[in-house]
Amino acid sequence: MFKFFTVGALLLTLTACASVIENRSPINETFPNVTGTNLNKQSIAIPDGLEGDLKVLLIGYVERSQFDIDRWLIGLDMTQTPVPAYELPTIAGMFPQMFETFIDNGMRKGIPKSMWGGVITIYDGAEKITALTGTENRKNARVILINSAGKILYFYDRGFAVDALNNLRETIREYQQQTASK
């Protein structure tokens, strides 16, 4: 027990001390190509390996962002938002990579097995994502809507809000109308 507490405390300390990158809006940029592993232990290329023309990416940089991600997942489910959502725990730095198995096993314990395919942990390439969005207010999820080309159509990073969910849904609706009329 002490060993796990010590490792957890050290991990928390090192990730908390990571340099903060100023937040920025990446709308109209292309999401970087990265590879992660879902909780089913499958390697997934992002964005190319994700299903759907549109996808919602819920990015979390620290464990405390899970609360925000859960609220987004509930909101998307309750409103029957018609696009797949992927949870991307994004953990930058060499130290977390050394404990990748320990971290992923901890997530498996807290997430229902039926959801494991949609939880894709990013270690390699995490710096590309943190540079894209910034890391200020780490506990807030980064909510990104991308199309099949990886273009970012929507971005939000200020914590769950009903207005933000409605804006995301409106962006989805407008995109679907535009592509249907082509």
Side-chain angles (χ1 to χ4, degrees):
M1 177 72 168
F2 178 73
K3 178 177 159 183
F4 291 119
F5 177 74
T6 303
V7 170
L10 183 58
L11 180 62
L12 179 63
T13 301
L14 289 176
T15 57
C17 294
S19 62
V20 175
I21 301 168
E22 186 176 339
N23 284 1
R24 58 184 297 278
S25 174
I27 292 178
N28 293 321
E29 295 181 31
T30 301
F31 194 83
N33 292 314
V34 296
T35 301
T37 303
N38 70 17
L39 294 182
N40 289 325
K41 300 182 181 181
Q42 299 166 314
S43 181
I44 309 288
I46 301 168
D48 295 339
L50 302 178
E51 294 180 19
D53 180 31
L54 293 175
K55 307 135 212 17
V56 174
L57 307 179
L58 301 169
I59 300 167
Y61 295 132
V62 294
E63 183 178 0
R64 290 185 351 187
S65 63
Q66 188 64 51
F67 179 74
D68 198 27
I69 290 170
D70 288 345
R71 292 188 297 169
W72 277 97
L73 288 171
I74 290 167
L76 291 166
D77 184 57
M78 295 299 291
T79 58
Q80 299 180 357
T81 301
V83 298
Y86 295 91
E87 199 173 325
L88 303 180
T90 302
I91 307 167
M94 287 299 293
F95 185 76
Q97 287 181 13
M98 294 186 320
F99 292 94
E100 183 174 330
T101 301
F102 178 76
I103 294 168
D104 289 348
N105 284 338
M107 285 190 275
R108 284 184 193 95
K109 290 178 184 174
I111 297 172
K113 192 170 187 171
S114 62
M115 297 178 70
W116 287 6
V119 179
I120 306 164
T121 309
I122 310 297
Y123 294 100
D124 291 329
E127 289 81 8
K128 293 178 186 178
I129 298 172
T130 59
L132 180 74
T133 69
T135 59
E136 294 176 321
N137 303 316
R138 292 176 191 262
K139 69 179 181 171
N140 292 351
R142 276 46 178 180
V143 180
I144 294 178
L145 176 69
I146 60 172
N147 65 13
S148 58
K151 182 179 178 182
I152 299 170
L153 307 172
Y154 178 87
F155 176 76
Y156 187 79
D157 67 351
R158 293 182 299 263
F160 178 79
V162 173
D163 285 346
L165 174 60
N166 290 336
N167 290 338
L168 170 63
R169 290 176 48 78
E170 180 63 19
T171 302
I172 292 168
R173 188 185 66 71
E174 288 173 358
Y175 179 84
Q176 291 173 332
Q177 285 179 341
Q178 290 172 1
T179 57
S181 65
K182 289 183 181 180

